[in-house]
Amino acid sequence: MGIASTGISHAETGTRQSYDAIVIGGGFAGVTAARDLQAKGKRTLIIEARDRVGGRAWSTTFAGKTVELGATWIHPSQKLVWGEVQRLGIATVTDAHPEFVVASKEGGGYEQKEMAFLDQQSALLARFVEGSQEYLPRPYEPFHREDLLRELDKLTLGDRARQLRISALEQNWVSASTGAYGGGFDRGALTQLAHWWALSGYTADGYHAINSIRPVGGMSALLEKMLARSGAAVVKNAPVTKVVDNGSQVQVTAGGKVYTAPAVVVAVPANVWNTISFAPGLPAEFGRLASESVGVPTARKLMIEVQGDVGRPLVNGAGGDLLDMVIADTVKSARGSLLIGFSVNPQLDANSVSQVQTAIDQVLPGTKVLAVKGQNWGSDPYSKGGWTFRRPGQLLGGLRAVRQPHGRLVFAGSDIATGWAGYVDGAMETGVRAAGLVSELTA
Ligand SMILES: Cc1cc2nc3c(=O)[nH]c(=O)nc-3n(C[C@H](O)[C@H](O)[C@H](O)COP(=O)(O)OP(=O)(O)OC[C@H]3O[C@@H](n4cnc5c(N)ncnc54)[C@H](O)[C@@H]3O)c2cc1C
């Protein structure tokens, strides 16, 4: 079976297609599940809504370069994605360190800081997650000390900042690596931040190192390679609208066709679960997580081309400003430098040169913005949010329930990982698990 760029990869004979397994969603979770199902001898179809696979991993072009508007970095501590890169013979490249830091100053506005500022910032960050070695001693088994997590899982990052009596200025200094990750101090759960901290080895250096190494060629190329090796069939431009489990077969309606299989992996983002009609209906936890959001609903990532060589800045945006973080990309464009911006501010139009120029004027004065290209993941109908960052109560509340098979359906996706939720590795973890559960269901 080959892989076609659009449409299904083998001749269709009618409106009904039957497979050994169907995977809904061609992101890293879905492709990993399909890869493992194919390896178990199951003829598998991936049904993808967009005209491309990859979902929240999306390599595209900007200023003549390959850039990422979603997932970018991988790390050896993320064993599944790292192992895959090794297996596929893909080289990796490490980003250069920043040369200068910009952060909020007393009384408002921004200033350039000495590099030693980063130690101060790390110490603050460590205070947020103090005690995580006790309450999350086994990072891949986050429920191990459920007794200690019960109260903590109710806290937002803002609650924690108030507990610690962190000043407004200090809060701005760590906003980019705490509140902004969570979609705002009053959205994200402390336990999600602590979980990433635990997975990173309980140190600030470990935590920051997670976002520094890239696969050469980009994330989409990595996924395409995995997909090609898997031999799974793919149909694109086919949003799934309906899934009916009659107890022995599952019928999946997409793009005006009905596909059937004895079991289905649902590997779409949690935020879009309630856009698909399931019969029988899903348990209440699914609806609750989807309506609360698991992926950050205001997440935006943008590439910014600026004139000339601006060096390697690390800008820490203050909470509520237009840009939460700006860092230098590893490559330069023909006209100047490429910067990577992150924002969770719903006011930011990530494709507006004038708005981004206003934001850049605040943090890197004198820098001329030439072009921008961004993605507002929250307004994308097939994500309705960006990277995963759980809300208070979700770790202990709904996570375990949505990981259980529901009839002949198994759910997957980075949003429901028990390891690296919010990362490609977490997506792969759930894909591996889903393929195993589907094999059991269909044995
Ligand atoms: C801005 C940003 C930066 C990030 N940076 C990093 C990083 O540096 N490193 C890292 O490891 N991770 C990063 N992440 C997280 C990473 O991208 C995700 O964790 C991972 O890609 C999620 O994979 P997934 O398969 O679970 O979901 P997705 O990638 O969202 O895949 C789900 C798929 O389901 C499809 N779909 C949705 N609805 C339907 C439907 N009705 N019918 C059919 N298909 C449907 C979607 O189109 C999509 O292809 C980042 C994410 C964002 C948004």
Side-chain angles (χ1 to χ4, degrees):
M1 232 177 283
I3 306 298
S5 58
T6 56
I8 205 160
S9 60
H10 55 86
E12 279 186 52
T13 49
T15 51
R16 186 168 290 240
Q17 291 279 310
S18 101
Y19 288 83
D20 297 330
I22 290 173
V23 174
I24 305 174
F28 269 94
V31 170
T32 303
R35 176 199 70 182
D36 284 13
L37 286 164
Q38 285 279 130
K40 291 173 198 289
K42 302 209 177 285
R43 190 167 163 261
T44 303
L45 172 69
I46 298 173
I47 306 178
E48 168 55 50
R50 295 180 167 106
D51 61 0
R52 62 172 182 88
V53 291
R56 285 171 280 177
W58 181 24
S59 314
T60 181
T61 50
F62 173 66
K65 304 288 173 187
T66 298
V67 297
E68 305 285 357
L69 288 182
T72 304
W73 297 284
I74 59 171
H75 192 266
S77 64
Q78 299 173 333
K79 299 224 176 320
L80 295 171
V81 67
W82 196 262
E84 195 61 36
V85 163
Q86 305 300 307
R87 209 173 3 260
L88 295 174
I90 296 174
T92 57
V93 58
T94 305
D95 286 8
H97 285 292
E99 291 167 341
F100 64 98
V101 181
V102 174
S104 301
K105 67 176 184 206
E106 191 77 58
Y110 288 86
E111 66 185 0
Q112 203 166 315
K113 304 273 189 192
E114 300 293 325
M115 290 303 278
F117 168 80
L118 293 179
D119 296 333
Q120 206 179 341
Q121 197 187 40
S122 293
L124 272 172
L125 187 56
R127 289 182 62 202
F128 268 83
V129 289
E130 212 174 280
S132 51
Q133 234 154 335
E134 283 75 49
Y135 61 78
L136 285 167
R138 298 185 187 177
Y140 288 93
E141 295 171 46
F143 308 114
H144 184 63
R145 291 304 309 266
E146 186 168 355
D147 55 328
L148 299 180
L149 286 170
R150 230 163 263 139
E151 288 307 309
L152 288 168
D153 195 36
K154 294 178 183 162
L155 301 182
T156 62
L157 294 163
D159 293 333
R160 181 64 174 155
R162 286 183 284 276
Q163 258 184 7
L164 295 170
R165 296 181 188 284
I166 285 179
S167 72
L169 181 63
E170 289 175 321
Q171 203 166 306
N172 282 339
W173 288 345
V174 290
S175 174
S177 45
T178 58
Y181 272 152
F185 274 100
D186 293 321
R187 180 194 172 276
L190 169 67
T191 53
Q192 175 72 80
L193 181 75
H195 198 181
W196 285 352
W197 181 266
L199 289 158
S200 312
Y202 308 96
T203 67
D205 284 349
Y207 184 71
H208 294 306
I210 293 305
N211 296 324
S212 60
I213 306 175
R214 310 167 184 227
V216 170
M219 297 303 285
S220 294
L222 164 61
L223 187 78
E224 291 280 1
K225 225 168 170 178
M226 277 176 71
L227 179 58
R229 284 236 182 144
S230 77
V234 187
V235 60
K236 296 180 190 168
N237 298 305
V240 169
T241 51
K242 195 163 136 195
V243 178
V244 178
D245 176 356
N246 70 16
S248 57
Q249 287 286 316
V250 184
Q251 297 178 335
V252 179
T253 305
K257 296 200 172 78
V258 179
Y259 303 91
T260 58
V264 166
V265 175
V266 184
V268 303
N271 290 11
V272 306
W273 286 340
N274 54 15
T275 64
I276 298 173
S277 153
F278 291 96
L282 301 176
E285 284 88 353
F286 286 87
R288 189 166 63 74
L289 288 196
S291 57
E292 282 178 3
S293 80
V294 185
V296 170
T298 54
R300 290 146 165 77
K301 184 176 179 189
L302 56 152
M303 294 302 305
I304 310 167
E305 186 187 26
V306 295
Q307 201 161 45
D309 187 352
V310 296
R312 301 192 57 81
L314 166 56
V315 176
N316 297 274
D321 272 357
L322 278 181
L323 290 172
D324 290 296
M325 186 183 273
V326 179
I327 52 177
D329 201 347
T330 41
V331 291
K332 302 273 180 209
S333 77
R335 298 191 292 179
S337 309
L338 294 186
L339 303 175
I340 306 169
F342 291 91
S343 174
V344 294
N345 188 326
Q347 308 303 325
L348 179 73
D349 174 353
N351 287 294
S352 159
V353 170
S354 63
Q355 223 187 6
V356 173
Q357 180 70 68
T358 306
I360 288 288
D361 285 345
Q362 271 193 297
V363 292
L364 297 170
T367 302
K368 184 169 170 45
V369 175
L370 300 174
V372 293
K373 182 171 185 175
Q375 169 74 343
N376 174 355
W377 289 97
S379 63
D380 180 324
Y382 304 120
S383 301
K384 295 179 86 179
W387 56 84
T388 309
F389 203 102
R390 291 185 298 262
R391 304 198 67 179
Q394 290 183 342
L395 175 62
L396 298 189
L399 189 57
R400 276 170 291 197
V402 299
R403 287 168 56 87
Q404 297 307 312
H406 177 62
R408 298 190 152 265
L409 311 183
V410 179
F411 283 71
S414 172
D415 299 324
I416 62 168
T418 48
W420 286 100
Y423 287 85
V424 163
D425 198 76
M428 293 182 70
E429 168 209 308
T430 64
V432 169
R433 181 173 181 272
L437 288 169
V438 161
S439 300
E440 280 171 28
L441 281 173
T442 53

